[in-house]
Amino acid sequence: MRDGERPASGAALRTQLIAACRELTRRGLTHGTSGNVSARCDARRFLISPSGMDYETLQADDVPLMDLEGRWFGARRPSSEWRFHRDIFRSRPEVDAIVHTHSPHATALACTGRGIPAFHYMVAIAGGVDVRCAAYHTFGTQELSQAALAALQGRKACLLANHGVIATGRDLQSALALAGEVENLARQYSVALSLGGVTLLDEAEMARVLEKFRNYGQQDAVDPDLLFGGAEPDAARGS
Ligand SMILES: [Zn+2]
């Protein structure tokens, strides 16, 4: 949580979290009940989507509340992935929302053990020169959480080998948008790999891009037109 900002109240945040869960399905980022979403309530607690429930029928009371010790409160069990949600909130004070998906292209890439290198400047949207892929561990385990935290070091998103994606943000909208952006990058990179001969941007160029992102103060934005004010000739996505 940043200074001077307060998170939404419990009731409003529950509504926002349910809306974010439904958006995952609407944007094609998840299928069925896979994927999960969380949002920080205050310094000690966060809301998280419940385990195995249909997002369309979710009600506010179905959303479990958890504390950073891992205790949960409410009628429903939290997502089986509560450990990495808790551990990210514990170790990353700037993160107020987390989205986890099994979005198709990012997951396919993660099944080859690949992360996303600097094949396109928009990779910088995840905070660095690449999106790492965390080592495989069984879902729901502390080992998976540790691997995810390592892959997220200095980044806002990572892939999980043979599993999916984690995207973080300062609020649910930015985490959701980043999850969509990572899926888009993974799709583009997969196509580029299939064509062969992918060229990567070098570190100096990525440093310039990261600096531009910072200077525009839109690190959590995902629209290149917002990032570059439409002034860059190659600002359109996919160019
Ligand atoms: Zn998962």
Side-chain angles (χ1 to χ4, degrees), residues 81 100 102 163:
E81 296 294 12
H100 166 59
H102 300 173
H163 185 157

Side-chain angles (χ1 to χ4, degrees), residues 96 119 129 146 154 201 222:
D96 282 345
F119 80 103
V129 298
Q146 291 308 118
L201 300 172
V222 293

Side-chain angles (χ1 to χ4, degrees), residues 7 11 19-20 51 59 92-93 95 97 105 111 129 140 144 152 163 174 176 234 238:
S51 181
Q59 301 292 317
R92 298 285 293 266
V95 170
H105 294 85
C111 290
V129 298
L144 176 61
L152 282 168
H163 185 157
S174 60
L176 199 58
D234 62 346

Side-chain angles (χ1 to χ4, degrees), residues 21 25 30-35 53-55:
C21 288
T25 310
T30 196
H31 185 75
T33 60
S34 71
M53 288 188 71
D54 185 343
Y55 294 150

Side-chain angles (χ1 to χ4, degrees), residues 181-200:
E181 198 63 46
V182 171
E183 171 61 10
N184 186 52
L185 288 164
R187 184 165 55 86
Q188 292 169 338
Y189 183 50
S190 300
V191 173
L193 280 176
S194 72
L195 295 170
V198 180
T199 59
L200 300 181

